[in-house]
Amino acid sequence: MAASAGIVGLAFLQVQVEQQVREELLQLSVAHSATFAEIMSLRSARAQLVSTDPELASRMRTFARSAEADESLNLLRRWAINPQANGFSMIAVRQQGRALLLAGKPLPASTQVPVRTPWPASLQWKNGFVLRREVPVSDAVGALGVLISEQR
């Protein structure tokens, strides 16, 4: 009888420990998910902020005028150095379906997982996660193209 009571007591303790471990793991998972969502939000905002740089819009608008295209492309390349120094592993600019600029090496598309955002975005994995965003670039006159960025 005492052995039965001991076994029942141990089983009860095991159930309590398992339940507590499950609850703590759930809390940790929720906390990590919230942290990850905040990191994604900040990186997404950074990519959007870069796309609103007036210098980028100006260079893209000038590029559309072929007489100044070479100089504008050189200025775009100089502009891209700064975003790369600030956490972007790759910056690309596309206009009317053609690539104007590629600074850095993009990760292969096979490693992308789509993310729901107002503009195309995906998560990639290469020794840590990388956020890839495609953000439209425009000025007061209209649409100019797309800024594609990857950042760790």
Side-chain angles (χ1 to χ4, degrees), residues 51-52 57 61 136-145:
S51 75
T52 62
R61 178 71 57 203
V137 178
S138 61
D139 63 7
V141 178
L144 294 168

Side-chain angles (χ1 to χ4, degrees), residues 11 41 54:
S41 176

Side-chain angles (χ1 to χ4, degrees), residues 90 106 112 120-122 124 130-134 148-150:
M90 187 276 299
Q112 296 178 13
S122 61
Q124 299 170 282
V130 176
L131 176 63
R132 178 184 174 93
R133 290 285 314 266
E134 295 183 24
I148 303 164
S149 65
E150 292 179 0

Side-chain angles (χ1 to χ4, degrees), residues 15-82:
V15 168
Q16 282 185 322
V17 166
E18 287 175 358
Q19 183 177 0
Q20 186 172 356
V21 167
R22 262 194 302 273
E23 288 173 7
E24 288 180 18
L25 286 174
L26 180 60
Q27 289 173 357
L28 282 172
S29 175
V30 169
H32 284 285
S33 294
T35 300
F36 184 73
E38 182 65 22
I39 290 169
M40 291 286 295
S41 176
L42 291 171
R43 290 182 182 180
S44 183
R46 182 193 287 173
Q48 188 169 351
L49 181 65
V50 169
S51 75
T52 62
D53 184 333
E55 186 176 345
L56 172 63
S58 172
R59 300 303 170 221
M60 289 179 75
R61 178 71 57 203
T62 304
F63 189 81
R65 297 187 298 258
S66 61
E68 302 172 36
D70 289 341
E71 177 61 20
S72 184
L73 187 56
N74 287 334
L75 292 170
L76 266 174
R77 286 183 181 133
R78 278 188 246 142
W79 173 88
I81 291 170
N82 188 32

